[in-house]
Amino acid sequence: MRIVPRHEFVPRDQADQAYGDRALPIGEGQTISQPYIVALMTELLNVQPGDAVLEIGTGSGYQAAVLAVLTDQVYTVEILPKLARRAAETLDRLGYARVQTANADGYFGWAEHAPYDGIIVTAAPDHIPAPLVAQLREGGRMVIPVGPPGSYQTLWRLTKQQGKVVSENITDVAFVPLVRKP
Ligand code: SAH
């Protein structure tokens, strides 16, 4: 995280706030997550070099850039076209061009590149999306906040072991909701 320039991922008028341990607005009613939470979720994902990792909720692209330091196979999906476009531009401009971005409803994951060793969800659904579990490799980890919108959610780490999902309750978090395309 020390080598990823967080100020490049926030609006220019927020750049002086970029190295505080706080979430910041990135437009469209969305936020770039607090660095502590980015660190916690990244650590829980236990990414090894060469792992295929899927992020749901590209937002600014910052979390994807942090993942790209750890592996060369990062895929990230964003539902809002404007944010998807801007994050793709930012990632390219800063040299994270290997990160593959898509503008789609991440509830369905990104089947084309599955299975994944890690899936990180940075917007909160009220249940665990079955397509994401299906796209997780045996031994793969998923880090996901689950709970009601506008309140606190539970951060879970799910691990696929012998086809079953083992879940660990990590802590309480507050994420924007995972929205669905109308
Ligand atoms: N990881 C981001 C922060 C994510 S904020 C970063 O590092 O900046 C949550 C993001 O999830 C928002 O950009 C929101 O538009 C997006 N999102 C919400 N629902 C989604 C869905 N169904 N599929 C993909 N992205 C979604």
Side-chain angles (χ1 to χ4, degrees), residues 6 9-10 24 26-34 38 41 55-66 76-81 83-84 87 102-109 120-125 175-181:
R6 191 168 182 262
F9 293 85
V10 301
L24 291 171
I26 54 170
E28 311 284 300
Q30 305 303 323
T31 54
I32 179 173
S33 305
Q34 177 193 0
V38 173
M41 291 176 79
E55 179 194 25
I56 306 304
T58 314
S60 67
Y62 176 72
Q63 171 74 70
V66 170
T76 181
V77 180
E78 168 59 50
I79 198 166
L80 296 178
L83 290 182
N103 176 210
D105 182 351
Y107 183 91
F108 300 104
I120 179 170
V121 184
T122 65
F175 273 86
V176 297
L178 186 94
V179 295
R180 308 298 312 281
K181 273 219 160 97

Side-chain angles (χ1 to χ4, degrees), residues 16 21 26-27 42-43 69 107 118 142 175 180:
D16 61 335
D21 192 17
I26 54 170
T42 304
E43 188 171 285
V69 175
Y107 183 91
M142 172 155 48
F175 273 86
R180 308 298 312 281

Side-chain angles (χ1 to χ4, degrees), residues 50-58 63-64 67-68 71-78 91 98-102 109-120 135:
D51 275 2
V53 177
L54 174 68
E55 179 194 25
I56 306 304
T58 314
Q63 171 74 70
L67 293 168
T71 181
D72 57 4
Q73 278 195 76
V74 179
Y75 304 91
T76 181
V77 180
E78 168 59 50
L91 289 164
R98 278 186 309 198
V99 174
Q100 296 198 45
T101 58
W110 192 346
E112 190 187 344
H113 304 289
Y116 299 99
D117 302 285
I119 299 180
I120 179 170
Q135 290 173 26

Side-chain angles (χ1 to χ4, degrees), residues 149-162:
S151 172
Y152 290 96
Q153 302 96 28
T154 302
L155 185 67
W156 294 93
R157 175 165 62 183
L158 313 177
T159 308
K160 212 183 231 187
Q161 282 173 12
Q162 278 128 34

